Amino acid sequence: MAYTSASRAIKAAAESDAPEVEAAISLRYLAWTLVRQGRPEDAERVATQAAAAIEPRMLDRDPMRAGVFGNLLFNAATAALRTGSTGRAEDLLAAAHAAAIRSRGDTATEAAIFGPRVAALQNVELAARAGDPEQALRLAAAVPDTTGDVPAFWEAGHRLFLAAAAADLRHDRDALGWLAEARDLAPDWVRYQPLGKTTMRRLVDRATRRRGPDFAALAAHYGVVE
């Protein structure tokens, strides 16, 4: 259904008032769908070609254009990582980060979620997904505060990656703190995130004694215990 919707959106974009931008938005969703269909090579090709077509000029301050460009590169980086091309994923995120710096602030719209903090969060996620928890936590320490709007579920997702990285390093107290922050930021959303449940399960299995009501409540929220 997602693939069909993205394909129809691409056709409809040609009839819109801003066909170039609308086509790029549609292709971003197509790339997202291709990644989840297990077609990362196709996803990277679609995303990078669409990004090249809409890349903002050096002095272009249009936040929508920059946001769509950056989100396409986010999708391309995710796809590259799925094929084991960590270096290429890092290069794609570096290009997105440069555009984010020029955008001067974080924005969240139907078209894109983008900005300096958002780009930095993506770098943390890349390191975590690449199996480098120490680098993920180092990068997290340098993430700038937002100067605009970052959705709560993005912030919660960031905390889940930090929790997983901390758990990998057996920093269980820190991991619990990040899981609690993620729950507080987006309580309903985190219930459905496998990363949160997997990380909480690891902490429960490693617990050598009863950890008290707060620990139990957190484990229950993530669906690890009843």
Side-chain angles (χ1 to χ4, degrees), residues 163 167 171-173 175-176 179 198-207 211 215:
H171 299 166
D172 290 3
R173 185 182 298 244
L176 286 169
L179 287 171
T198 299
T199 304
M200 189 71 233
R201 167 58 65 188
R202 293 167 66 191
L203 299 179
V204 168
D205 290 344
R206 285 209 294 252
R211 298 292 301 272
F215 183 89

Side-chain angles (χ1 to χ4, degrees), residues 110-162:
E110 290 293 330
I113 300 170
F114 194 58
R117 180 172 174 83
V118 171
L121 297 184
Q122 288 292 302
N123 283 328
V124 175
E125 179 177 334
L126 173 66
R129 288 185 182 276
D132 192 345
E134 292 182 341
Q135 176 69 352
L137 294 176
R138 280 195 297 269
L139 290 172
V143 171
D145 293 334
T146 185
T147 56
D149 183 22
V150 180
F153 77 93
W154 271 66
E155 294 287 2
H158 174 59
R159 269 66 171 188
L160 293 183
F161 279 109
L162 295 182

Side-chain angles (χ1 to χ4, degrees), residues 41 44 76-77 79-81 83-94 126:
E41 295 89 353
E44 185 182 350
L81 190 63
T83 64
S85 302
T86 303
R88 191 161 67 246
E90 291 173 346
D91 291 342
L92 289 163
L93 287 187
L126 173 66

Side-chain angles (χ1 to χ4, degrees), residues 23-95:
I25 294 170
S26 302
L27 288 166
R28 177 169 70 85
Y29 285 111
L30 177 60
W32 181 90
T33 303
L34 290 169
V35 168
R36 281 148 186 81
Q37 287 183 332
R39 299 165 60 185
E41 295 89 353
D42 291 336
E44 185 182 350
R45 175 180 51 79
V46 166
T48 53
Q49 289 179 356
I54 197 177
E55 183 175 4
R57 296 182 183 275
M58 183 62 70
L59 299 179
D60 186 350
R61 300 293 185 182
D62 180 358
M64 178 179 289
R65 192 180 191 90
V68 175
F69 171 76
N71 278 223
L72 282 163
L73 293 183
F74 292 163
N75 287 334
T78 298
L81 190 63
R82 292 285 181 94
T83 64
S85 302
T86 303
R88 191 161 67 246
E90 291 173 346
D91 291 342
L92 289 163
L93 287 187

